Amino acid sequence: MKFMIIRKADPETEAGAMPTAQLVSDMMAYNKAMIDAGVMLDGMGLKPSASGGARIQFAGGKPTVVDGPFAETKELVAGFTLIQVASREEALEWVRRWPPIDGHGNVALELRQVYEAEDFGAEFTPEIRQQEALLRERAAARG
């Protein structure tokens, strides 16, 4: 099962405040523990919404783009970690190990399960599976 740990934005992340050396060290130790356990697939921090962020709304199939920054920080994402574990409980165990100094001890995280091919049933035909596999290979080759 794949899960995304979503680190919600806060006024500091939206202001572009860089993490302390201690937080960077703690996050690296956390990521290393997940990599050593074979559960971490990816993870990244996101720049503030003022740094190139945009919201795109489609109406009638036509996009409208609104550039950041966005006022409601509680609706924004500051980063994510993608993990693969055996159960939701195992995912929650990893979330509980998040470095406690992040956000000065007041960080908001969200855990969401990722859709996987088997979730789509018969609609995910062998042809579509093959096409998806080829697209993933191409994306992986680009780094």
Side-chain angles (χ1 to χ4, degrees):
M1 304 172 87
K2 291 180 184 170
F3 287 87
M4 182 176 282
I5 303 168
I6 301 166
R7 200 303 192 170
K8 304 296 274 190
D10 58 37
E12 282 190 7
T13 62
E14 273 299 287
M18 297 308 291
T20 65
Q22 185 61 56
L23 178 55
V24 171
S25 177
D26 289 358
M27 285 303 301
M28 290 300 105
Y30 176 67
N31 291 344
K32 182 181 183 313
M34 288 192 295
I35 290 167
D36 290 349
V39 301
M40 185 172 174
L41 301 175
D42 203 352
M44 295 180 196
L46 303 176
K47 290 186 176 187
S49 64
S51 297
R55 287 189 175 147
I56 300 87
Q57 179 72 42
F58 282 79
K62 296 184 184 205
T64 300
V65 177
V66 176
D67 291 327
F70 305 116
E72 291 293 323
T73 59
K74 66 183 179 191
E75 296 176 3
L76 300 175
V77 175
F80 71 92
T81 303
L82 186 62
I83 60 174
Q84 186 164 14
V85 293
S87 67
R88 179 178 179 272
E89 188 53 44
E90 184 182 355
L92 286 169
E93 288 174 22
W94 283 106
V95 173
R96 288 182 187 107
R97 294 176 60 182
W98 191 268
I101 68 166
D102 189 16
H104 309 286
N106 298 300
V107 68
L109 302 175
E110 183 175 332
L111 182 68
R112 300 283 301 272
Q113 189 170 358
V114 175
Y115 277 113
E116 298 193 56
E118 57 272 8
D119 295 322
F120 294 100
E123 284 73 20
F124 205 68
T125 64
E127 294 81 16
I128 294 173
R129 285 179 192 272
Q130 182 178 14
Q131 183 180 10
E132 189 221 16
L134 290 172
L135 289 173
R136 287 189 183 276
E137 285 175 23
R138 286 179 53 197
R142 292 186 70 180

